[in-house]
Amino acid sequence: MGRHGVLVLVLLSLGLASGTRLCQWERVADDVRLVPKGYALDVDPFPGDGVFKGRVRVLMVACTEAINAVKLDIDPAVNILKQNVKIRPRQFDGKVPDHKDLVEPDQWTDTGNLTVTSVEVKENEKQCVLTLSGNLKKGEYYELFIQFEGVLGTDPSAGFYQTTYLDQNSGEKRWLVIMNLLDGKAPQVFPCFNRPEFKTYFLLSVAHKSEFHVLSSEPVSHSKLGSEGAWVRDYFMKIPSMSVGSLTIFESDFTQPNNYRQYSNPDGANDRARVGIWGRGDFVSALTQSQSLAPKVLSSLEAYLSYPYPLPELNLVALPGYISDKPIDGYGLQLFKESDLMNGDSFWLAYRLAKAMASQWLVHLSTPVNATSVGPALANFMALNVAMQLEQPVFNSYLSNLQSLLIEYSKPVPYSMVPLQKDNIVAFKTQLVFHMLEHCLGTETFKKSIHNFIKKREFKVYTDDDLWSAMTEQALADKRLLPGIQPKSVKQIVESWIVKDRLPLVTVTRHYNKSVTITQEPFLRSVDLLPPSNETDKPDLWWIPIVIVSEDKVKEYENISKIMSWLEPVPQQQISIKNKNFGMDHYLLFNPGSIGPFVVNYDNHNWFLLSQKVGTLPEKIRIQLLHDSMKLALSSKLSYITALNMTLFLRYEQAPAVWKTFYPLADQFRKLLDGTEAAKPFDLYLRGLITPVYDALGDEGSESSWKQEFRSQTKHLLWQAGFDPSIIEANDSYNLWMSVPDPDSGMLVSRSYLCSVFLWGSQKQWEFGLERVLNFPANRSQSERDFLFRTLAGCPQDPVRIRKILNITLLQNSSVFSESDKFKMINSIASSSIGYTTMFEFLKENWNALKESLSKNMWNLYVQLALGQFKSEAGLSKVTRLVEERKGQFGAAETDAIASIEKIKKEIKWGAMNLNAIKLWLNTTLDEKWTARRFTFNDSQSDSVSHSGPSKTNETHFGADDCSAGN
């Protein structure tokens, strides 16, 4: 069966020959009185004039008796031409009409004496009510005709809008028109039944000037010229069953790379979709990589889902001036910001394409009833799978996402500062849960369940439960879940993960030569920082897959690891596993390669055994052990010495992905020790580890984006540790920016240089950066401004510069700085001991002015950060004195001020317990001469040198004296 045979199946599945059955199909509410069965939509946009006109015919069926009014969803801004609203009975034999089958209303002869007697628009309800001269008969079909007109919006928040771009070759302004009906925007354009479960066919025509062309869900079947030839009306092929929100239109003069659309599978071109990439003429050469990758990505998605893309073509547009990270997503047509489609890193380009294309199945072919994290997470999951098939990345984002989740979910109150980030974080977590399910159920079972889910819900709506049910059915069929053994369903597993704002900590305790005991608890940053718990609260516990690999099998773990059992989400529940091979001389590994998104702790002896062998283990295991040990130590769940011992293998580490895991954890260690006597030796240790990595990366040049990012991260941690090998080139580059006639036209210096200049450079250079923030043009990227501002505030370790930016931002009440700017600034400054110390002194000196000028929330945050960061007896004395002097004057921040004293006492207690041991370990390690292997990070993603331990050639010796260079 060809691609268009799918349409026949759609119609049969909907039962178009039976009006009664149609009323029952996918009925989700008892109040359904009319069900739309098709739309014929004609739209005439007039870019420049800023208006549009249109006509819509709605084929509908009556589902109850005594219907004497039709209610349609409509935005009050759309004007219905009430005198032209008509209705008639319609004989319907189940065959979807074509454009030629449509009869103009002035030629209707079979009206059955049925008329529309009144049209009332209810603005508050965003509905129009058409009162009829008689009743509609249950099970009978009717055709409704409405003419309307409206105003084109000026930005993507509108369902139908116009915009322009400047042609760089001709200097002319060119018009673009975009219709985007997702997120409930369809009533902003035409009267309709705006419910996702009402999936219908569409007949579409669009009028446009002859120099433009129009893209939509289907190709153009034919066109008609207007009487004077200046206007053209395009008639599109019948669009299969879809929700009204899936319709998208794009009118432009855009072209394509090489002016062609490529089949997703050239070998089967007659029955495969064509994929087209579109952009403005002066930019289209930057889209050649997307044009090459996109058909492969679509084909890979089809293979993964075992379900062909259901339309004859898919068009992807690079839209100038569009800045959202979320594409405009229509059925068969998607619009991206230009940078998302331009030539660049092949892996991430393939990932972005696959993530967007996945919605063709997960949003349009099958449509979610409600927006949850599950659909985006599944799209992310499939996108990573597809991208990794096509391009092997140097850095896998799995551990990066897990680190971000653990940081947020270990806070006393997750999302407390930025509630809007919750949706993205929950989607990340759900994506990691999909990775766990794939391993636990098996790849083939997992893929079959996704296919079955799509097949069952094609041309219908779905809920999350539909997906979990499909997975459970396949898992039971393949005996990946066994009846009578917990868990009973995939939903049971998933709900223990998705609904909680924590992640697990699993503790594995070995009873050597006997057995292993496994327990779980929520992973928390520090128990004594949490608010008091409610005794009646249900504990946060999870279904944990138990996968254990012994030392002799660890290098084959990806092939042999399997679920041994499950740890149930039961309070105080633990599981004991007996095995005669759990001896004293061999380690064991739990959750190898981070199958599940949780942290694993062991007894001390197993950690010791692992630390002796970690450098010889596979890359994913090295990443896991480095991550878990450092994260546990940072949360006071593991000895700091054990975690530091786990870093020693980095002296010979060759894999960029391991270093990428280490850098943010090392930065957290620095912040933990900042302001203590252990800070300097830790910085020396970091410099000894990282300097060979920086040297291996070589000078900047024409290279892949992963290497540029890796060098930038390496350099960033080096300058934090007090050593900057690139200060001269950073200064030279920055001074060139300072010398240009119009420095505000763009940031003419690499981002990786900014912190170096603001930390080590002159006051004049810093002042120049401040001027750029103050004069930043509104038409440039605000993310660029945010980066410049945060770097300007957070990098300097000079109290004079910190005081100046605090004064300008907080006391001068400049309209340049928003509340969000101030929030970012004080958080950036407070990240270092010099920063929060300066904030404290600034508070003492400007108490009244700050309290008067800051909002309540900003005042509370400032007090919290300025008082609560100290770690010494001297700091405690200063804070205690201020709190006593200003007692009763803190306002809403009084509780935070008092709490800061207790927090500092805990920091001092922590230091007394741990700092001497950390200093001793660092100083002893720095006194030892060690040999770092000199190595090269190749620019090719597939050529990264694998870990092979110490080398006897190309050696460089490091010790405490060598590491101190660059002070």
Side-chain angles (χ1 to χ4, degrees), residues 466-651:
D466 292 317
L467 176 59
W468 310 140
S469 295
M471 287 186 172
T472 300
E473 290 172 10
Q474 193 63 50
L476 290 171
D478 293 347
K479 294 183 169 51
R480 304 298 300 209
L481 290 177
L482 300 177
I485 298 177
Q486 297 287 354
K488 295 179 180 179
S489 69
V490 170
K491 181 180 179 180
Q492 200 174 22
I493 298 170
V494 168
E495 287 193 340
S496 74
W497 289 87
I498 294 180
V499 300
K500 296 181 176 67
D501 290 337
R502 301 288 178 200
L503 286 175
L505 164 61
V506 175
T507 301
V508 179
T509 305
R510 297 178 60 184
H511 311 290
Y512 292 84
N513 297 315
K514 295 180 181 178
S515 62
V516 175
T517 301
I518 305 167
T519 59
Q520 64 166 302
E521 62 184 288
F523 178 79
L524 306 172
R525 183 181 300 178
S526 178
V527 174
D528 56 9
L529 293 180
L530 291 174
S533 62
N534 187 334
E535 296 292 336
T536 62
D537 285 350
K538 185 177 180 180
D540 284 327
L541 295 171
W542 298 259
W543 282 101
I544 305 289
I546 297 176
V547 183
I548 297 178
V549 177
S550 56
E551 181 171 341
D552 61 323
K553 300 293 186 181
V554 71
K555 292 187 178 180
E556 308 167 54
Y557 79 98
E558 289 187 294
N559 297 322
I560 66 171
S561 58
K562 60 182 179 181
I563 301 294
M564 297 176 63
S565 182
W566 291 86
L567 188 63
E568 297 183 44
V570 178
Q572 309 304 319
Q573 196 256 359
Q574 55 184 324
I575 191 166
S576 203
I577 299 175
K578 295 182 179 180
N579 191 310
K580 63 182 179 180
N581 295 324
F582 295 158
M584 290 291 296
D585 300 328
H586 300 282
Y587 64 78
L588 61 79
L589 192 70
F590 190 88
N591 193 37
S594 298
I595 292 166
F598 53 87
V599 178
V600 181
N601 201 358
Y602 301 96
D603 56 273
N604 288 334
H605 186 62
N606 198 67
W607 274 120
F608 170 76
L609 295 173
L610 287 166
S611 70
Q612 300 303 298
K613 300 288 182 67
V614 61
T616 67
L617 301 181
E619 181 180 306
K620 284 185 180 179
I621 305 297
R622 302 200 303 276
I623 289 173
Q624 177 190 7
L625 292 174
L626 182 66
H627 171 269
D628 285 6
S629 61
M630 294 188 74
K631 183 61 72 174
L632 286 164
L634 287 163
S635 302
S636 302
K637 303 291 193 305
L638 182 66
S639 161
Y640 294 92
I641 305 308
T642 299
L644 288 168
N645 282 333
M646 198 62 72
T647 67
L648 290 172
F649 80 94
L650 291 170
R651 292 169 168 177

Side-chain angles (χ1 to χ4, degrees), residues 323 744-745 772-783 785:
I323 60 174
D744 293 319
S745 62
R772 303 288 69 74
V773 172
L774 293 172
N775 300 323
F776 200 89
N779 62 352
R780 279 177 53 200
S781 167
Q782 291 306 297
S783 64
R785 175 189 178 276

